Amino acid sequence: MDFDPVAIAIPVFVALIAGEIVWTRLCGKRHAYEWRDTGTSLAIGLGSTVAGALTGGLTAAMLAGAHALSPLSIGWQWWAWPLCFVLDDLAYYVFHRSAHRVRWFWASHVNHHSSQHYNLSTALRQSWTSFVALSFIFRLPLALAGFEPGMILVCAGLTLVYQFWIHTEAVKRLPGWFEAVMNTPSHHRVHHAVNARYLDRNYAGTFIVWDKLFGTFQPEDDVERIRYGIVSQLGSFNLLYAVFHEWAAIARDVRSAPWGHKLSYLWREPGWSHDGNRETSDMIRKRAARDRDEARLPG
Ligand SMILES: [Zn+2]
Ligand SMILES: [Zn+2]
């Protein structure tokens, strides 16, 4: 199937970003957009589109290979579509959780999080290196289960398109039933936050129910102000640095680490170090909870 929902949606993305910029001006929220940050986001989006065009055929070939190996074949039945979409969203959850907990996958995903702003242009920060990072492996089980590769790719595109509009501060909360089932701007603001208790939470693509099922859900607190970005902020709008900095950092760590620890810098969580000199998100969360408890003790 030669249908790419993301390519079709791009003009709508551009129109909505323009609309949000106008909205921020009218509401006195000028700080929501910073032109260098938006420029970097647009350039990363453009680059990821090129990378996707270059490697899309290889991803499709991997899915086709897995599908051919499988004795199962579901075909193009109408009922396979909703089933494929829901299961693909689960595969996305597993991918996204791994992308935050395994440094190899994080190196590719980090540029989605490197903006300190949260607006619709942030959504365009997609990976350039997802094929190199082998992110497609998370969708192979769907092909092995008998789903058509073309159907899987359309569902993956729809999940990505869905996630565009949730990158905004313009929408506070939606009706309760919608917030309960779907990923929303409120849930995804938490995902992009570096506040200690928000780290590594709300991995959902379309349905927030996965986070609730697997214990990674954190609702947004209306009192605590959200800080966006990554634990060690990029401090640069340089495009190539934004895209490749974590790969370069991994290479440095692997080179300088003692032999017994080299591979751990690839598969352990971001922030892990063999000498305990750095902090992982779990360590940051524990330290913040300890500080809160101590602050509560009578002096
Ligand atoms: Zn993420
Ligand atoms: Zn996002």
Side-chain angles (χ1 to χ4, degrees):
M1 171 166 277
D2 213 13
F3 169 70
D4 182 0
V6 180
I8 293 169
I10 285 175
V12 182
F13 291 170
V14 174
L16 286 171
I17 289 170
E20 194 186 39
I21 291 174
V22 172
W23 174 81
T24 58
R25 302 284 142 139
L26 294 176
C27 297
K29 295 179 187 290
R30 281 176 168 267
H31 58 275
Y33 272 87
E34 207 276 344
W35 68 270
R36 287 170 304 174
D37 173 79
T38 307
T40 307
S41 297
L42 291 172
I44 292 178
L46 200 65
S48 77
T49 308
V50 174
L54 291 175
T55 59
L58 291 169
T59 304
M62 296 294 168
L63 290 171
H67 188 257
L69 281 177
S70 171
L72 307 169
S73 182
I74 294 172
W76 296 91
Q77 331 282 346
W78 70 266
W79 53 262
W81 281 99
L83 191 61
C84 184
F85 185 78
V86 172
L87 291 176
D88 179 74
D89 200 51
L90 173 60
Y92 178 84
Y93 172 87
V94 178
F95 151 72
H96 195 189
R97 189 165 168 171
S98 309
H100 281 258
R101 305 295 293 180
V102 177
R103 198 176 174 201
W104 173 264
F105 297 122
W106 173 244
S108 163
H109 182 61
V110 62
N111 56 51
H112 182 63
H113 286 274
S114 57
S115 171
Q116 287 177 252
H117 296 263
Y118 191 76
N119 54 51
L120 290 174
S121 78
T122 311
L124 303 183
R125 292 192 176 227
Q126 296 294 325
S127 176
W128 290 20
T129 52
S130 69
F131 183 80
V132 179
L134 308 177
S135 307
F136 63 86
I137 61 170
F138 294 91
R139 288 192 157 105
L140 293 182
L142 291 167
L144 290 171
F147 288 101
E148 290 292 332
M151 191 182 284
I152 298 167
L153 290 172
V154 171
C155 290
L158 290 173
T159 300
L160 199 64
V161 170
Y162 177 83
Q163 291 182 67
F164 174 77
W165 73 278
I166 60 179
H167 292 83
T168 185
E169 291 187 316
V171 177
K172 288 292 164 216
R173 291 279 157 80
L174 290 157
W177 69 269
F178 196 86
E179 294 282 348
V181 179
M182 306 298 286
N183 198 7
T184 61
S186 173
H187 300 327
H188 203 60
R189 283 193 288 270
V190 166
H191 181 66
H192 276 258
V194 288
N195 308 44
R197 64 176 153 150
Y198 288 164
L199 288 172
D200 290 353
R201 291 293 180 261
N202 300 1
Y203 297 116
T206 302
F207 303 113
I208 196 68
V209 288
W210 307 122
D211 285 289
K212 293 182 176 178
L213 267 176
F214 300 121
T216 49
F217 176 65
Q218 178 71 43
E220 184 183 26
D221 181 332
D222 291 324
V223 180
E224 188 172 331
R225 196 180 69 82
I226 289 185
R227 286 172 286 112
Y228 297 108
I230 46 181
V231 169
S232 301
Q233 300 289 6
L234 215 53
S236 162
F237 295 109
N238 183 299
L239 176 64
L240 294 179
Y241 182 71
V243 172
F244 295 112
H245 71 102
E246 188 65 14
W247 290 113
I250 288 179
R252 276 197 306 274
D253 286 339
V254 169
R255 208 168 35 232
S256 61
W259 272 101
H261 295 293
K262 284 188 189 296
L263 284 182
S264 298
Y265 280 98
L266 298 176
W267 66 267
R268 292 294 301 256
E269 59 272 46
W272 177 88
S273 60
H274 71 281
D275 50 12
N277 267 339
R278 305 176 195 169
E279 280 188 313
T280 64
S281 59
D282 293 332
M283 291 154 84
I284 294 170
R285 198 194 320 278
K286 276 195 196 114
R287 178 167 54 76
R290 217 170 33 235
D291 291 350
R292 266 200 307 276
D293 288 346
E294 275 169 19
R296 253 187 244 125
L297 289 174

